[in-house]
Amino acid sequence: MGMDFEVIRPGKEISCDLMDGLVRIHELCFQDDATTVRERKILFEAWNNPPVMQHWAAKKGNDVIGYIRWVEHGGIRPKAVVELEQIGIDPKMQGQGIATQLIDFSLDRLEKQMQEEGRSIKLVYVMTGNNNYAQKLYLKTLGARLSAEIPGFYEDSEKNENEVVMIARKSELDNARKNRNDG
């Protein structure tokens, strides 16, 4: 399935329009998170922090329709532990495969970059609420499986849901991709 949107990886010169679009998606997808001027500054600075933190944005025409953030943990190691720290897709665009394509595209680029550096991904983990569709997405796209559940992780959340940790080792990542490409 081809992408009918553009994926970009902004550099240090991120435009105000792009930042506004990213903040809009963040506010639509993560309503429990307040986006003050301070958070906008943090979000902007995070875009410019590779290789530990890497971002990609999905645009359709001039509109930002989603973004993804990957974070490498434990230092720069030959076998990297990578977190899919956040993904947000415009609610009007959800259910169209954009999240799957954005995960695949950005993870492919991340792996290629690591290969050029003589490194590889050991495992990917993701934390998400225990009451959302994201778990199915992460199982399908990454082969990630439930590893732990943390009760009351966000005690201030109105949803009062637990947080789950999902893990995909390299072989599970490869199998998930193969299964999607074969199916």
Side-chain angles (χ1 to χ4, degrees), residues 57-70:
K59 288 182 72 177
K60 191 166 190 169
N62 291 326
D63 297 326
V64 175
I65 60 172
Y67 69 89
I68 189 167
R69 177 184 309 136
W70 294 94

Side-chain angles (χ1 to χ4, degrees), residues 128-129 132-139 166:
T128 189
N132 63 36
Y133 171 77
Q135 288 184 58
K136 291 178 185 171
L137 171 68
Y138 302 139
L139 174 62
M166 300 179 74

Side-chain angles (χ1 to χ4, degrees), residues 81-94:
V81 174
V82 179
E83 177 186 12
L84 192 170
E85 202 273 331
Q86 195 167 71
I87 184 169
I89 305 297
D90 186 325
K92 294 180 287 197
M93 304 295 290
Q94 291 176 2

